[in-house]
Amino acid sequence: MKFVGKHILSVSEFDRAAIERVFAVADQMEPYAQRKKATRVLEGAILGSMFFEPSTRTRVSFGCAFNLLGGEVRETTELKATSIAKGESFYDTARVLSGYSDVIVMRHQIEGSVAEFSEASRVPVINGGDGANEHPSQALLDLYTIRKELAAKNKSIDGLSISLIGDLRFGRAVHSLCKLLSLFKHIQFNLISPPELSLPDEYIAAMRDAGHNVNQSTELQPNISSADILYVTRTQEERFPNQEEANKYKGLFRLNQAVYTQFCEPNTVIMHPLPRDSREAANELDNDLNENPNLAIFRQTDNGVTIRMALFALILDVVDQVDAHAKPVNWYTAKRF
Ligand code: NCD
């Protein structure tokens, strides 16, 4: 896979060599993300950041990643603040905004919208999440986190057992992650969801075709005991026809320290793409796990910065120039990594 000047719309574009390339560049970015060094390699470059759906970590970490490479970020965060609300087409918006940016990251509630936008864009476009379809950069950072967590336990991704829990129907992070994991060998997928929110059939068929073992269940406890990774997700309430419909599925699976202690192997890694829904009616991942060293959720969010720096460095073809532009960090840096 070639990265220079390319869009990143789906993880289907990736093979294992491409994943390894992104991870190697992400490793190279770590001292910059951790403020041990600074670099201005993208000085003068502009990221067009267009998030037409709510976002905290994806939007901000893409922006920080670009800033950490020395570039500037122009943000548009609401549909109603754009001319799309006046009836402008994706085609026109893409033609215009790509004249202002070197690369664009876009999130939109319609499946396929980012791909449609990219066809008219004059610069590379990264999919920051298109409806219930895909979320490629999230899956890359999740896989990178899985790899690091397993390496600390002398395990590799091949042979992994992962339990994916919650809204697997609308969860785009899950969709992209299942596709990426399918590139590895002998994965045991335990899919835990209510029947109405099960992973779409085409994903399951592809996982089985690739030789993986897929087990579907509506129960949490018996299906988390042998997993290396628990990947918990939120009910994607914004994809339901109304709030009452979404509320039916909240609180069905709750992972807390008591459940973890009783049913999981010691050192089972806990992940979540975030945001977790901490409201009482949902609370799929309890705060009482916050001090559990196996809770990897904030390692995932930190890894999001290095993975996104890697994508920018690869797409804009500066990987080999990053270190040449390195400078010392002169400000106080808190010990947060
Ligand atoms: C996810 C998303 O937006 O798909 N969040 C994220 O980007 N980390 C998951 C979610 O919203 O539940």
Side-chain angles (χ1 to χ4, degrees), residues 7-234:
H7 305 306
I8 295 188
L9 303 173
S10 162
V11 291
S12 303
E13 296 146 22
F14 285 78
D15 56 16
R16 277 183 72 159
I19 292 170
E20 289 308 322
R21 180 79 178 122
V22 173
F23 289 180
V25 179
D27 289 344
Q28 189 194 329
M29 297 301 151
E30 203 165 85
Y32 301 99
Q34 296 186 351
R35 316 301 200 267
K36 292 181 179 141
K37 290 193 268 182
T39 181
R40 308 296 301 162
V41 70
L42 288 185
E43 187 157 25
I46 294 177
L47 166 68
S49 170
M50 301 168 52
F51 278 77
F52 299 133
E53 266 196 328
S55 174
T56 301
R57 70 222 87 233
T58 306
R59 177 175 57 86
V60 178
S61 66
F62 264 118
C64 286
F66 210 74
N67 289 152
L68 285 165
L69 290 166
E72 305 275 341
V73 183
R74 287 264 142 234
E75 281 203 349
T76 304
T77 49
E78 279 188 290
L79 267 183
K80 64 177 189 286
T82 72
S83 288
I84 292 175
K86 299 180 187 169
E88 188 169 57
S89 65
F90 281 142
Y91 178 89
D92 285 5
T93 308
R95 296 300 292 178
V96 172
L97 291 179
S98 56
Y100 304 157
S101 319
D102 295 278
V103 56
I104 289 172
V105 56
M106 176 174 167
R107 168 174 288 187
H108 193 282
Q109 62 270 35
I110 299 175
E111 294 183 24
S113 54
V114 183
E116 184 186 337
F117 182 94
S118 74
E119 281 168 28
S121 172
R122 293 176 276 167
V123 300
V125 176
I126 303 176
N127 182 359
D130 61 325
N133 185 32
E134 279 223 39
H135 195 346
S137 65
Q138 180 70 42
L140 286 165
L141 77 88
D142 286 339
L143 190 68
Y144 184 65
T145 305
I146 290 171
R147 193 176 76 153
K148 282 191 169 200
E149 298 289 321
L150 292 178
K153 301 177 168 68
N154 286 322
K155 290 185 177 179
S156 69
I157 300 175
D158 292 319
L160 167 77
S161 172
I162 183 168
S163 295
L164 297 131
I165 304 158
D167 184 351
L168 311 184
R169 176 178 174 195
F170 295 120
R172 56 193 171 198
V174 165
H175 298 168
S176 294
L177 181 58
C178 286
K179 283 191 188 178
L180 277 190
L181 282 171
S182 293
L183 296 170
F184 291 77
K185 293 199 182 80
H186 309 303
I187 309 289
Q188 170 68 44
F189 289 99
N190 305 310
L191 308 178
I192 305 167
S193 71
E196 299 84 352
L197 300 186
S198 60
L199 190 67
D201 289 343
E202 65 265 28
Y203 288 94
I204 296 176
M207 286 144 71
R208 290 201 169 121
D209 285 351
H212 304 297
N213 201 12
V214 183
N215 164 46
Q216 285 183 279
S217 170
T218 55
E219 282 181 89
L220 183 67
Q221 275 84 343
N223 294 294
I224 55 175
S225 57
S226 59
D228 302 299
I229 307 273
L230 306 180
Y231 192 93
V232 184
T233 66
R234 167 184 77 89

